[in-house]
Amino acid sequence: MRHDDILHTIGRTPVVRLSRLAPPHVELYVKLEAFNPMGSVKDRMALAVIDDAERRGVLRPGQTVVEATSGNTGIGLAMVCARKGHPLVIVMAENFSVERRRLMRFLGARVVLTPAALKGSGMLAKARELAQVHGWFLPSQFDNEANARAHERSTAVEILDDFADAPPTHWVTGSGTGGTLLGVARTLRRHWPATQVVVCEPDNAPVLAGGIAAPPPDVDGLPASHPLFRPHLMQGWTPDFVPALVQRALDEKLVDRIVAVPGDEALQVARELARQEGILAGISGGATVAGALRLAATLPAGSRLLAMVPDTGERYLSTPLFADIAAEMDDDEWAISRSSPRARFDAPTPAAASENRPLPAPEGVAFVDAAVADARRPALMFGLRWCEFGWALRRLFERIGTPLHEIHVDDPALQRGALAGAVRAALAARTGSVTLPQLFVAGTHVGGCTDAIAAWCEGRLQPLLRRAALPFDADARVDLPSLLPAWVQPR
């Protein structure tokens, strides 16, 4: 299917039955919102609130948007704002996953972090303050009716279509901002009044089920932190206040029951979704399905449940969800590696015969000599554009604040006429190494990537930089783990 732009691909996410994880006496389905273009349910709301603001004239062309978010809303807004030409500033508490920050910045947003101790209400207060100080547009996802309407008009309609043959007996979701809850629940109540709406929340933060009303907003109209809130594992679930959209769902009596979900259970179910069903869900998705499974165990045969899975597990690589997933081979994997003779770490790599190395051609030697002697390039790296060791060497020079010039031997201009091979042969003859990158400072060969890092850490690189009159930060923090790609870290 062809689309005019990425925004037209939002919605129409699939519903999948769980065939191995669900108990046999019920039908348990999940709606996989990771199939939205930016990987979460928040894509729907992000487009809706920006479209609504533009239609009402409260968001001008090119005006900056600022929003507080745990991440998924920010990623969705980054996509929408990139497409529509609005600069975006995201305010996010520091304890949310690093992947989300990097995705938003990759999409062009700026991300301002707030102290974790100030919780969700702190990041919301910061976003409102920035909007007031700079005249930016604040979507206010936690109380914006356009958030709920997006789900009335898309998510809920899709559910009606997908279950036209027989409505689910229970629809299960987290609360979050309240947009999905309020929008879908309103539509289900109108069309299928017998379908029960079930809201899951962390068992250690019973903000909805704890029996204590939400405190009134402060003098600035900001929500106050709920006394029963405690930090929990489910990012995007249950902020430390009751959002206005969630409160409206409660006031409209749209919530039939609330299920408490332990954090460890959310993690385990997310892992089981992957291993038994092949579904890569985040912690919040694991938590929602965990709540649905708890509920299913109490229901009569023939019950039909639909649980929302808001995003993908790739958002959680730096969180406890992946804490037990090793990057290195375990004993079983080492045994598999050793079960056949080729490409093994515990077998010596055959050395290239020296007689097979190409002799340096005059044009290669001339090129390397001229480049190394060029005073306009006092710090010079010969490398390959795609090579991660070259990236690491570049990060070293960025870290110490020193300009680095680069010659990429794989550039098309050098590939023509076999000059690239001649340059590599000349470098090998000059340095005694056939690998790239190779660093020269003030005409002196420093070595490869790890050689250069070691030279800095041992104080041997600094005198060369001084001799070349190059600036550098003598106090810069440099260590191997922060520079080298993970796969080459010491075992």
Side-chain angles (χ1 to χ4, degrees):
M1 182 178 295
R2 293 165 57 179
H3 299 280
D4 288 338
D5 67 55
I6 190 66
L7 305 182
H8 292 167
T9 68
I10 295 172
R12 293 308 318 169
T13 56
V15 169
V16 176
R17 183 173 179 177
L18 302 185
S19 58
R20 298 185 62 195
L21 197 55
H25 72 286
V26 303
E27 296 177 22
L28 175 52
Y29 296 86
V30 290
K31 189 163 176 62
L32 301 178
E33 291 297 295
F35 280 76
N36 282 302
M38 288 298 113
S40 89
V41 67
K42 298 298 186 180
D43 292 358
R44 300 175 185 266
M45 179 272 291
L47 177 60
V49 297
I50 296 301
D51 276 351
D52 174 73
E54 288 178 336
R55 278 194 302 268
R56 293 187 292 114
V58 296
L59 174 59
R60 303 181 304 275
Q63 185 181 5
T64 296
V65 176
V66 60
E67 182 61 294
T69 168
S70 64
N72 281 332
T73 292
I75 295 167
L77 282 172
M79 169 188 64
V80 174
C81 288
R83 178 64 184 85
K84 289 175 169 283
H86 294 289
L88 175 65
V89 174
I90 291 298
V91 180
M92 189 168 79
E94 63 178 328
N95 53 314
F96 294 120
S97 71
V98 173
E99 293 81 39
R100 302 179 186 211
R101 299 182 209 169
R102 299 181 76 177
L103 282 168
M104 288 184 279
R105 287 172 174 146
F106 189 79
L107 287 160
R110 289 168 290 174
V111 180
V112 176
L113 300 178
T114 57
L118 299 180
K119 299 173 280 193
S121 52
M123 69 182 188
L124 179 57
K126 182 67 173 180
R128 290 192 179 183
E129 182 181 66
L130 288 172
Q132 293 167 359
V133 168
H134 298 284
W136 295 340
F137 171 70
L138 180 72
S140 297
Q141 61 168 327
F142 297 99
D143 56 13
N144 190 333
E145 273 286 340
N147 181 354
R149 287 196 300 271
H151 296 285
E152 286 188 69
R153 295 169 180 172
S154 66
T155 317
V157 172
E158 293 168 23
I159 294 171
L160 295 178
D161 290 344
D162 289 336
F163 290 91
D165 60 329
T169 57
H170 300 78
W171 176 68
V172 187
T173 186
S175 59
T177 66
T180 305
L181 168 61
L182 181 59
V184 174
R186 279 172 172 169
T187 300
L188 296 187
R189 192 65 90 229
R190 288 195 301 270
H191 289 83
W192 298 330
T195 297
Q196 290 201 8
V197 172
V198 181
V199 174
C200 301
E201 67 177 353
D203 66 342
N204 67 323
V207 170
L208 303 182
I212 297 178
D218 65 16
V219 293
D220 297 318
L222 290 164
S225 189
H226 196 286
L228 294 180
F229 176 82
R230 298 294 182 273
H232 55 81
L233 284 169
M234 293 73 138
Q235 296 189 20
W237 252 32
T238 311
D240 67 303
F241 56 92
V242 178
L245 298 180
V246 174
Q247 189 60 53
R248 284 171 211 166
L250 298 173
D251 294 342
E252 295 176 24
K253 303 195 182 307
L254 297 174
V255 178
D256 295 293
R257 66 171 79 185
I258 298 171
V259 176
V261 178
D264 289 344
E265 194 170 313
L267 297 178
Q268 183 58 34
V269 171
R271 292 168 184 147
E272 292 304 315
L273 278 169
R275 292 167 182 171
Q276 294 195 49
E277 302 285 353
I279 294 172
L280 186 60
I283 301 174
S284 53
T288 309
V289 174
L293 289 170
R294 285 189 160 225
L295 177 61
T298 70
L299 296 177
S303 298
R304 175 180 270 194
L305 300 87
L306 172 63
M308 299 298 294
V309 176
D311 66 1
T312 170
E314 287 184 323
R315 296 279 150 88
Y316 300 87
L317 293 173
S318 64
T319 74
L321 182 60
F322 282 80
D324 298 329
I325 307 300
E328 299 299 326
M329 291 192 290
D330 62 19
D331 291 343
D332 287 343
E333 291 161 340
W334 273 106
I336 294 170
S337 172
R338 294 181 181 120
S339 67
S340 68
R342 292 181 181 272
R344 287 166 45 173
F345 289 103
D346 58 346
T349 302
S354 59
E355 61 269 18
N356 293 331
R357 293 179 185 171
L359 295 174
E363 62 268 26
V365 173
F367 184 96
V368 171
D369 288 349
V372 171
D374 188 347
R376 296 169 299 176
R377 297 186 283 196
L380 175 64
M381 176 182 77
F382 288 90
L384 300 167
R385 190 175 294 277
W386 56 266
C387 178
E388 291 179 281
F389 291 98
W391 302 346
L393 192 50
R394 187 182 306 128
R395 282 194 290 269
L396 167 66
F397 274 75
E398 289 171 351
R399 190 78 54 83
I400 66 177
T402 302
L404 176 67
H405 296 273
E406 302 180 32
I407 293 176
H408 299 117
V409 180
D410 55 346
D411 274 355
L414 289 182
Q415 296 290 338
R416 288 191 291 271
L419 181 57
V423 168
R424 293 199 69 159
L427 280 169
R430 182 175 185 131
T431 66
S433 174
V434 297
T435 63
L436 293 174
Q438 293 296 325
L439 175 68
F440 294 84
V441 175
T444 299
H445 178 232
V446 178
C449 171
T450 54
D451 297 323
I453 296 172
W456 172 268
C457 294
E458 296 167 7
R460 293 182 285 108
L461 182 58
Q462 291 86 334
L464 293 176
L465 298 175
R466 291 191 189 96
R467 191 171 77 192
L470 285 168
F472 64 88
D473 178 3
D475 298 320
R477 177 182 171 273
V478 172
D479 56 75
L480 283 173
S482 67
L483 296 173
L484 291 176
W487 65 271
V488 294
Q489 298 293 342
R491 295 180 183 277

